[in-house]
Amino acid sequence: MNRHRYRKKNGDNFRWTNPRRDLVNIFTKEEHLSADEAYMKVKQKNPEIGVATVYRNLDFLTERGILNRFRFGDVKARYELRDLEKENHHHHLICESCGKIINYSEFVQREKKLINAMEKELSEKHGFQINSHQLHFYGICKDCRDK
Amino acid sequence: MNRHRYRKKNGDNFRWTNPRRDLVNIFTKEEHLSADEAYMKVKQKNPEIGVATVYRNLDFLTERGILNRFRFGDVKARYELRDLEKENHHHHLICESCGKIINYSEFVQREKKLINAMEKELSEKHGFQINSHQLHFYGICKDCRDK
DNA sequence: TATGATAATGATAACTATTATCAGTTAGTT
DNA sequence: AACTAACTGATAATAGTTATCATTATCATA
């Protein structure tokens, strides 16, 4: 009886551990952290934690659809909480000078129409099943321009 | 006299060397190569070449606007010749299963309108000077679905 | 055409981000 | 309480890239 409950609750027997909870908490406060940045943050709460655990759990959370993983111009991967509500759907402006990342959610409505049409045509034409899309703008942010 | 000619010809005194020529040639034949893949290819023509030279020149060519550098889901960077003519403007479908990259150029007209509008508004609102954009679709390609 | 200046190269060491291994720990189940 | 499997932290290993440095190649001028 409990067994079924448990199984039901978390699909394939994973455990909701402290490192996982901590990571998610951190990403509710700050976005676009890389693995090492996230590692620093968790360490403040739990100094015992190892890097490997952070990497493993960033993978874990990404696979489970809790985090999004991005690779902007940088070598290192960056993460953010997945936006479950459509209202939060957004894309990114990336500053090529300082690396700053800005979210924007303007145009989501207009974009959605186009994206839907594209997904339809592309899947028909290329037999490609589209799961997600990323629209990135690269350029120079205000601060860097002012300098 | 010669001096002026020379200076004029190649802005800040770079030299159009064999490794650079070879790399560009390779990318006219094949796209989306990573540094190590490109290295293998140039080596066939010039076995003396070193990896460092390849990395350096991929940077060089990217900075000079001759190549585009991308980072798809993968850690490694991939390159393609920059499309100078508008007709070649395209984006990418990336298979999350096998890593295959497909170019597509459908919707470029419709997209352009939206992108222009976005660039305008985003630059006004965020003071961000946009230099380029990338639109990537992630999903599963036909071959992988059929398996 | 010799020369001096400097751009570019190749070998290799160093570095950064990430992944694999493994023994020990923890949590959930019986 | 005992068993099992998930998870952890330490650490070694790997992959991709960058830095260093001595040598070579190229061009502009003497």
Side-chain angles (χ1 to χ4, degrees):
Chain A
M1 168 262 207
N2 276 358
R3 187 185 176 189
H4 182 62
R5 256 259 216 75
Y6 179 67
R7 283 275 156 73
K8 196 137 188 234
K9 202 171 163 196
N10 49 17
D12 44 321
N13 277 20
F14 63 81
R15 294 173 189 171
W16 194 237
T17 62
N18 284 326
R20 286 169 190 180
R21 219 187 319 270
D22 292 349
L23 277 171
V24 170
N25 275 332
I26 280 163
F27 279 98
T28 60
K29 296 188 198 105
E30 193 166 358
E31 289 195 307
H32 311 137
L33 296 169
S34 62
D36 58 320
E37 288 166 350
Y39 175 55
M40 297 306 193
K41 299 268 173 186
V42 225
K43 245 180 131 72
Q44 290 171 13
K45 192 177 177 248
N46 168 20
E48 307 300 299
I49 201 170
V51 231
T53 303
V54 170
Y55 275 98
R56 262 190 306 244
N57 284 321
L58 289 173
D59 280 357
F60 173 89
L61 294 167
T62 302
E63 276 158 23
R64 290 301 187 293
I66 295 162
L67 294 181
N68 284 331
R69 184 203 319 257
F70 295 102
R71 280 179 212 275
F72 302 107
D74 210 355
V75 237
K76 54 179 74 164
R78 296 187 170 276
Y79 300 83
E80 66 178 19
L81 279 182
R82 187 157 178 181
D83 40 26
L84 296 168
E85 303 89 41
K86 293 173 194 71
E87 305 86 56
N88 293 336
H89 183 65
H90 67 272
H91 291 297
H92 300 101
L93 305 173
I94 301 111
C95 179
E96 290 172 324
S97 169
C98 69
K100 180 164 46 200
I101 296 153
I102 302 174
N103 287 352
Y104 71 87
S105 45
E106 291 89 351
F107 287 96
V108 171
Q109 285 311 313
R110 268 191 72 186
E111 179 205 306
K112 196 181 295 167
K113 271 194 211 148
L114 179 59
I115 295 286
N116 284 343
M118 289 175 107
E119 292 195 352
K120 189 153 178 286
E121 173 149 344
L122 293 172
S123 68
E124 279 166 13
K125 190 158 175 184
H126 300 277
F128 203 97
Q129 170 203 320
I130 291 164
N131 294 335
S132 66
H133 68 272
Q134 296 179 11
L135 180 48
H136 296 168
F137 287 96
Y138 292 87
I140 310 291
C141 76
K142 196 172 181 335
D143 292 351
C144 289
R145 289 172 76 191
D146 290 348
K147 267 180 217 145
Chain B
M1 168 262 207
N2 276 358
R3 186 185 178 190
H4 182 63
R5 256 263 214 73
Y6 180 68
R7 283 276 156 71
K8 194 133 188 244
K9 201 171 162 197
N10 48 18
D12 45 322
N13 278 20
F14 62 82
R15 294 172 188 170
W16 194 238
T17 62
N18 284 326
R20 286 170 190 178
R21 221 187 317 272
D22 292 349
L23 277 171
V24 170
N25 275 333
I26 280 162
F27 279 98
T28 61
K29 296 189 198 103
E30 194 167 356
E31 290 195 305
H32 310 137
L33 296 170
S34 61
D36 58 320
E37 287 165 352
Y39 175 55
M40 296 305 192
K41 298 267 173 187
V42 226
K43 246 180 130 72
Q44 290 171 13
K45 192 177 175 245
N46 168 20
E48 307 300 299
I49 201 170
V51 229
T53 303
V54 170
Y55 275 99
R56 262 190 305 247
N57 284 322
L58 290 173
D59 280 359
F60 173 89
L61 295 167
T62 303
E63 276 158 22
R64 290 301 185 294
I66 296 163
L67 294 181
N68 284 331
R69 185 205 316 261
F70 295 102
R71 278 177 213 276
F72 301 107
D74 211 353
V75 236
K76 57 178 72 164
R78 296 187 170 275
Y79 300 82
E80 66 179 18
L81 278 183
R82 188 156 176 181
D83 39 26
L84 296 168
E85 303 88 41
K86 294 171 192 74
E87 304 85 57
N88 292 336
H89 183 67
H90 66 273
H91 291 296
H92 300 101
L93 303 172
I94 302 111
C95 178
E96 290 172 323
S97 169
C98 68
K100 180 163 45 198
I101 297 154
I102 303 173
N103 286 353
Y104 71 88
S105 46
E106 292 88 350
F107 287 95
V108 170
Q109 285 311 314
R110 269 193 71 186
E111 179 206 306
K112 195 182 295 169
K113 273 194 210 149
L114 180 59
I115 295 286
N116 285 344
M118 289 176 104
E119 293 195 350
K120 189 151 179 287
E121 172 147 345
L122 293 172
S123 67
E124 280 166 12
K125 190 158 174 183
H126 299 277
F128 203 96
Q129 170 202 320
I130 290 164
N131 294 335
S132 66
H133 67 271
Q134 295 179 11
L135 180 48
H136 297 168
F137 286 97
Y138 292 88
I140 309 291
C141 76
K142 195 170 180 339
D143 292 351
C144 289
R145 289 172 77 191
D146 288 349
K147 268 177 214 145

PDB file of all heavy atoms in Angstrom, chain B residues 27 51 54 99 107:
ATOM      1  N   PHE B  27      35.779  23.937 -44.807  1.00  0.00           N
ATOM      2  CA  PHE B  27      34.417  24.313 -44.434  1.00  0.00           C
ATOM      3  C   PHE B  27      33.531  24.633 -45.633  1.00  0.00           C
ATOM      4  O   PHE B  27      32.316  24.733 -45.482  1.00  0.00           O
ATOM      5  CB  PHE B  27      34.434  25.468 -43.431  1.00  0.00           C
ATOM      6  CG  PHE B  27      34.704  24.997 -42.030  1.00  0.00           C
ATOM      7  CD1 PHE B  27      35.987  25.069 -41.493  1.00  0.00           C
ATOM      8  CD2 PHE B  27      33.696  24.442 -41.270  1.00  0.00           C
ATOM      9  CE1 PHE B  27      36.242  24.619 -40.207  1.00  0.00           C
ATOM     10  CE2 PHE B  27      33.940  23.986 -39.982  1.00  0.00           C
ATOM     11  CZ  PHE B  27      35.224  24.077 -39.455  1.00  0.00           C
ATOM     12  N   VAL B  51      47.620  20.869 -33.565  1.00  0.00           N
ATOM     13  CA  VAL B  51      46.272  21.200 -33.071  1.00  0.00           C
ATOM     14  C   VAL B  51      46.132  22.656 -32.718  1.00  0.00           C
ATOM     15  O   VAL B  51      45.119  23.275 -33.008  1.00  0.00           O
ATOM     16  CB  VAL B  51      45.910  20.459 -31.760  1.00  0.00           C
ATOM     17  CG1 VAL B  51      44.564  19.813 -31.874  1.00  0.00           C
ATOM     18  CG2 VAL B  51      46.982  19.515 -31.320  1.00  0.00           C
ATOM     19  N   VAL B  54      45.205  24.863 -35.412  1.00  0.00           N
ATOM     20  CA  VAL B  54      43.799  24.748 -35.796  1.00  0.00           C
ATOM     21  C   VAL B  54      42.916  25.566 -34.852  1.00  0.00           C
ATOM     22  O   VAL B  54      42.111  26.385 -35.302  1.00  0.00           O
ATOM     23  CB  VAL B  54      43.359  23.274 -35.827  1.00  0.00           C
ATOM     24  CG1 VAL B  54      41.853  23.155 -35.988  1.00  0.00           C
ATOM     25  CG2 VAL B  54      44.076  22.545 -36.953  1.00  0.00           C
ATOM     26  N   GLY B  99      22.979  13.647 -32.148  1.00  0.00           N
ATOM     27  CA  GLY B  99      23.805  14.849 -32.296  1.00  0.00           C
ATOM     28  C   GLY B  99      23.823  15.436 -33.705  1.00  0.00           C
ATOM     29  O   GLY B  99      24.453  16.454 -33.941  1.00  0.00           O
ATOM     30  N   PHE B 107      11.021  29.658 -43.602  1.00  0.00           N
ATOM     31  CA  PHE B 107      10.500  30.670 -42.688  1.00  0.00           C
ATOM     32  C   PHE B 107      11.392  31.880 -42.512  1.00  0.00           C
ATOM     33  O   PHE B 107      11.135  32.717 -41.673  1.00  0.00           O
ATOM     34  CB  PHE B 107      10.250  30.082 -41.297  1.00  0.00           C
ATOM     35  CG  PHE B 107       9.069  29.192 -41.279  1.00  0.00           C
ATOM     36  CD1 PHE B 107       9.197  27.828 -41.429  1.00  0.00           C
ATOM     37  CD2 PHE B 107       7.800  29.749 -41.138  1.00  0.00           C
ATOM     38  CE1 PHE B 107       8.091  27.026 -41.423  1.00  0.00           C
ATOM     39  CE2 PHE B 107       6.689  28.935 -41.129  1.00  0.00           C
ATOM     40  CZ  PHE B 107       6.837  27.574 -41.268  1.00  0.00           C
TER      41      PHE B 107
END
